[in-house]
Structures are given as structure tokens and as C-alpha cells.
Amino acid sequence: MSRKVSVRKSVFAADEQYAFKIREMFKDKGILMLNIIGSPGAGKTTLLEATLKSLPFKAAVIEGDVATSRDAERISKTGTPVIQINTQGGCHLEAHLVWKALQDLPMEELDIIFVENVGNLVCPAEFDLGEDYKVAVCSVPEGPDKPLKYPHLFFRAGVVLLTKVDFLEHFNFDKELFWGDVKKLNPHAAQLEVASPVGKGMDAWFEILEKWLVEKRR
Amino acid sequence: MHELSLIEALIEELEKQNELNKWGKVLKVNLKVGAMRQVIPEVMTFAFEVSTEGTFLDGAKLELDIVPIKWRCKACGNEWDEERATNGGLCEKCGSIDVELLSGMELEIESLEVEDTDVTES
């Protein structure tokens, strides 16, 4: 004999509580939090390095990696406070890990917190960290077919950044296809093309950050 | 392999719930999964089998109820279904981008089938 019991709980119920706590805290403090998602090698850390060098706001970074503190060391050189989370095999960050890391940041002094997720286009899109926006980072060498192959991330992103556009001429990258697919999945997402080490497209990126920060503090 | 991450979160949630509810032996877990979640059912059930070993869910069966992606255009009222997300944010009828997702993001533990221990012995 068996009986049916109703559960009606989200799979993420436990972690959602932390995401909720993070969102509430930053609503009060007026801090913008961004969840940066892209495959390994897409240029997430390079984008952050370039961003932090000339960003007109006070920022901190949380770095998520399976192992090593290499990204945190790179960020640290820009003089920005950074916390490294090692997921020890985990392929994505979760809100409770971010919550813990946040306790070590000088919160009162900050405008923006960048959370660089583990390099992966799939799982990080599933787990809400309490961020204001997801930032999808995709590079020219990866090819233009990523949006339709990994629709979940692009569907939920507030901005899609195509990185390494200074390499466009070396790759058979169909930009029209790429942005067309992004638009189909998410017509509301801002679209940016950057080559962050040479500063290309960074002004438009800063404009978006400023707009979001102003909206957050309204 | 994001199925494994989802299953780990599912087990964690059910373990927490079980501490409160003391369900006993679980025979089946009914899970609602939105098609936007890009879950491969065979990979999901395999991940469940492997990850529940040694937990209170050991031996339970995972039953998936896949919820289709459903859109509604706020401009013209057009509603449509998709098996996979390809043309999500654009209304095919009027071209508006003012489109809302009605379903397809679910990841909800709907119900469980547990062994009935309330059988009174004669």
C-alpha cells in the first residue's frame, strides 16, 4: 500500500531563501549585483579586469572557480576587493556560497558587486544568486550558435556581451545569425560588442552599468 | 550534466522536508520540469538513481512531468507552445516583443508516493 503526499516545493527552495536575503539586503543598500556567466575562456575575467581599471564606481568581485585562486589574483592587481570561492568540483555558484562570501566584503563602500560564475553555459543559468541581472558573455571564437544551443542563459540575460570582436576577421563568425538568435530568445536584452583589452565597446558597457545603478537607487 | 546539479538540489530539499515530515520509505517522486530547463529525462532519472543511493530516497522512482513552454503576447493576446526555446521573445503573429512566459520554467517537487505505514494489524 502507498499513499500520495503533496509537496509543491521548488527544487531550489533552500537556496532561494539565500537569494531572497541577498536581494533584500542590496535593495536596502542600493548595491547593484551582477552574475557574469559564460563558457571557460569566453573572456569573463579579462572583461572584469578592463572594467575595473576605468570603472567610475566602487566595485568588488566574487570569483567562482572549481579550483585555484588565479582569477582572484588577476582581479586583485586592479586594486579591487575580491573574494575567491572554490566550488571543489561544483560547476556553478549557489546563493548560499555567495551569501557567505559577501560577509567578507566592505559592503558600506560599494556600488557594484560583480560575481563571476564558474565557466559554464548551463548550470549557472539555473541557479539564482540574488543578482539584479545576469550578464551573458560569449566570445567570437566560440562560434555564433551558442544562443540557440544554450537558450536558458540568453533568455534570462539582462545584457549579452560578444567579446573578442577584434578577432572577427579571423573567424567565420556570422554576427547576423548570432544577434538574430539572441533577439529571438530575448528581445529585451542589451546587445554589446567588446574587445575589452583594447577598450573597444567599453563605453557602452559603462553606460549600461550606470543606467542599472541609477535604476536600482531610484 | 546540469541534471546532476538539479538532482543534488532536489535531494537536499527533500532531505530537509523529510526531517519535518518523517515520510518513511519513498516509492516515487513526482517532479514537474519546464521544457525551458533543458533537462534530458534519461540523464535526469539516471542522475537520480545514482545520487539517491544510500539516502532515504534509495530505491525511489523519479517521475517527470514535462511542462511545455507557453508564451502569451501582451499586445495581441496570441498564445503559443514550444517544445524547445527558439523563438521565445517575439510574437509570431504581430511581431511584438511584449511577450510573457506562462509556463516552462518549472522545477517543482509536486508530490511523493510513500509507503503506507498506517496499516492497522488485526
Side-chain angles (χ1 to χ4, degrees), chain B residues 8 16 41 78 88 90 94 99 122:
Chain B
E8 277 168 5
K16 246 180 67 186
N78 180 32
L90 268 181
C94 73
V99 163
S122 51

Side-chain angles (χ1 to χ4, degrees), chain A residues 187-202:
Chain A
H188 303 283
Q191 304 183 351
L192 287 183
E193 295 185 6
V194 300
S196 46
V198 296
K200 189 178 188 298
M202 294 302 281

Side-chain angles (χ1 to χ4, degrees), chain B residues 20-84:
Chain B
L20 303 169
N21 296 298
K22 310 271 182 240
W23 285 313
K25 188 165 173 52
V26 177
L27 304 174
K28 202 170 157 196
V29 178
N30 294 308
L31 182 71
K32 261 192 189 170
V33 184
M36 190 64 101
R37 297 284 181 178
Q38 288 184 281
V39 156
I40 303 167
E42 299 79 56
V43 179
M44 196 75 167
T45 44
F46 177 69
F48 182 81
E49 260 173 52
V50 174
S51 310
T52 49
E53 244 173 67
T55 74
F56 84 104
L57 292 163
D58 202 339
K61 197 171 164 266
L62 179 70
E63 187 87 20
L64 299 180
D65 174 15
I66 307 286
V67 186
I69 301 170
K70 215 181 195 103
W71 302 95
R72 185 180 162 275
C73 173
K74 288 189 191 170
C76 74
N78 180 32
E79 282 186 22
W80 68 100
D81 285 6
E82 274 187 325
E83 264 176 56
R84 288 179 25 190

